[in-house]
Amino acid sequence: MDGHLVQGYVDAVGKVIRIDDEGGSRRVWLRPPERLLDRLLAKSPIALDGVSVTIAEVLRDRISVVLLPMTRSATTLGGLKAGDRVNLELDLVGRLVEKTPPSAVGKALPQLPWAGHVDGRAGVEKVLRQLAAGGGVVVWDPETEGEGDVIFAGARLRPESFTFLLTKVCGFPAVPCAPEVLQRLEIAQMPGEGDRQGTAWSIPVDLAAGTGTGVSAAERAATVRKLADPDATAEDFLRPGHVFPLAARPGLLAERSGHTEATVALCTAAGLAPVGVCCEVMNPDGTMAGSADLEVAALRWGMPMVDLADLKAWL
């Protein structure tokens, strides 16, 4: 069973109250009926006029969804404007589980359509929707590194996401950037030959406006968001620091099959700044997570997991 299951049934009608352009993506704010709000969860799917999208945020009286460039061009959602009404439909599996007694299985079932291993074009689109909504995704690379990374978009990174990387993912968080970003910010490459995979490590930085040591999750997340800010300048950063940028190859996955290039390619395809965070998944015993470990972790964390080969084929 795979995919976001919908029937064309209208659970409610929502109103578009605001639309924000965010680089290549577009954030749509909707006000659903109050009776529906308690049933809506961030990072879960919902259908707008029959089109599957991912809820980015749930606030007191509204929700937001992020429309990818491919969604706007291929559906009628690209023409939405403030004041429009849209039909809302909840995920079928989630609706059925609501009627069953609480259990571990009941909690896991609603995640099945969009968490765990995904593949093909539809799987890559799920990964992009999750990333654009501020969520994390897992990318498995069986060839270059034999490891899996959790990836977040830099422009959407929150302190709690960085805390998650440090306390649950347990690898080394690094910040892949398009080479032109590092050139503009005058962040030079580290001297030396680099590691065995050809990773282009750059001088670590901290946010100059910070007041602490730069180590906390909040400070590191703020540094990453500033790296993703198109208006940032070289003077916004201290060198050296505690956030480690990586320079992606200009040709991205067509030039090198690595998590650095996958991170930047995903952020770009999601319509976001070409800056993200990737962190290797490490098991509690200190070994690196294999494919089976990663799939279990992806289900537990509610994240889609995709193979690097699928990203190369569809991005």
Side-chain angles (χ1 to χ4, degrees):
M1 182 174 65
D2 190 25
H4 172 195
L5 303 180
V6 296
Q7 298 173 296
Y9 175 81
V10 178
D11 288 302
V13 175
K15 182 179 180 180
V16 178
I17 56 176
R18 195 173 85 229
I19 297 178
D20 298 327
D21 285 322
E22 301 179 342
S25 62
R26 182 173 297 169
R27 185 177 293 259
V28 179
W29 290 92
L30 303 160
R31 181 173 286 125
E34 186 175 351
R35 60 181 173 80
L36 202 68
L37 271 169
D38 289 341
R39 303 168 65 188
L40 301 179
L41 298 172
K43 313 302 183 291
S44 65
I46 191 170
L48 304 187
D49 286 344
V51 179
S52 175
V53 295
T54 301
I55 299 173
E57 295 179 83
V58 179
L59 303 182
R60 182 177 58 84
D61 64 344
R62 66 195 65 190
I63 65 171
S64 71
V65 301
V66 178
L67 303 181
L68 302 175
M70 65 179 68
T71 304
R72 299 203 310 274
S73 63
T75 71
T76 59
L77 298 186
L80 286 179
K81 58 185 182 299
D84 285 350
R85 307 278 178 173
V86 291
N87 295 324
L88 307 177
E89 182 183 354
L90 303 180
D91 177 63
L92 175 61
V93 175
R95 210 162 53 225
L96 293 174
V97 169
E98 283 180 346
K99 301 181 180 298
T100 65
S103 68
V105 174
K107 292 178 182 178
L109 270 176
Q111 296 185 16
L112 286 177
W114 62 90
H117 194 269
V118 298
D119 56 22
R121 179 173 179 174
V124 172
E125 289 179 358
K126 289 179 189 177
V127 166
L128 292 173
R129 289 199 299 268
Q130 175 89 343
L131 203 72
V137 303
V138 180
V139 175
W140 165 236
D141 173 17
E143 297 179 4
T144 304
E145 298 178 352
E147 295 175 355
D149 282 31
V150 171
I151 293 173
F152 286 93
R156 298 272 193 263
L157 190 68
R158 297 183 177 182
E160 53 266 34
S161 299
F162 212 102
T163 301
F164 173 81
L165 295 176
L166 295 171
T167 60
K168 302 297 183 184
V169 183
C170 300
F172 187 89
V175 184
C177 304
E180 60 269 21
V181 171
L182 299 179
Q183 292 168 8
R184 174 172 55 83
L185 299 177
E186 300 175 17
I187 299 174
Q189 187 168 336
M190 281 189 184
E193 298 179 359
D195 62 20
R196 287 181 290 274
Q197 283 74 40
T199 308
W201 292 91
S202 299
I203 300 296
V205 297
D206 281 336
L207 188 62
T211 57
T213 62
V215 179
S216 72
E219 288 176 299
R220 283 196 261 184
T223 301
V224 174
R225 290 196 303 274
K226 180 58 73 172
L227 286 168
D229 183 351
D231 296 324
T233 65
E235 290 71 29
D236 288 323
F237 303 95
L238 302 176
R239 301 163 182 78
H242 299 88
V243 169
F244 288 77
L246 307 177
R249 302 288 175 85
L252 298 180
L253 290 171
E255 187 173 342
R256 177 178 180 268
S257 297
H259 284 111
T260 301
E261 287 69 28
T263 300
V264 174
L266 281 168
C267 291
T268 301
L272 302 172
V275 176
V277 180
C278 64
C279 182
E280 306 92 342
V281 182
M282 189 167 64
N283 293 321
D285 63 0
T287 60
M288 304 312 295
S291 59
D293 303 314
L294 290 170
E295 187 154 7
V296 171
L299 284 168
R300 185 169 67 248
W301 297 334
M303 294 180 179
M305 169 184 162
V306 67
D307 292 353
L308 195 63
D310 277 303
L311 298 185
K312 290 180 67 175
W314 296 105
L315 291 184

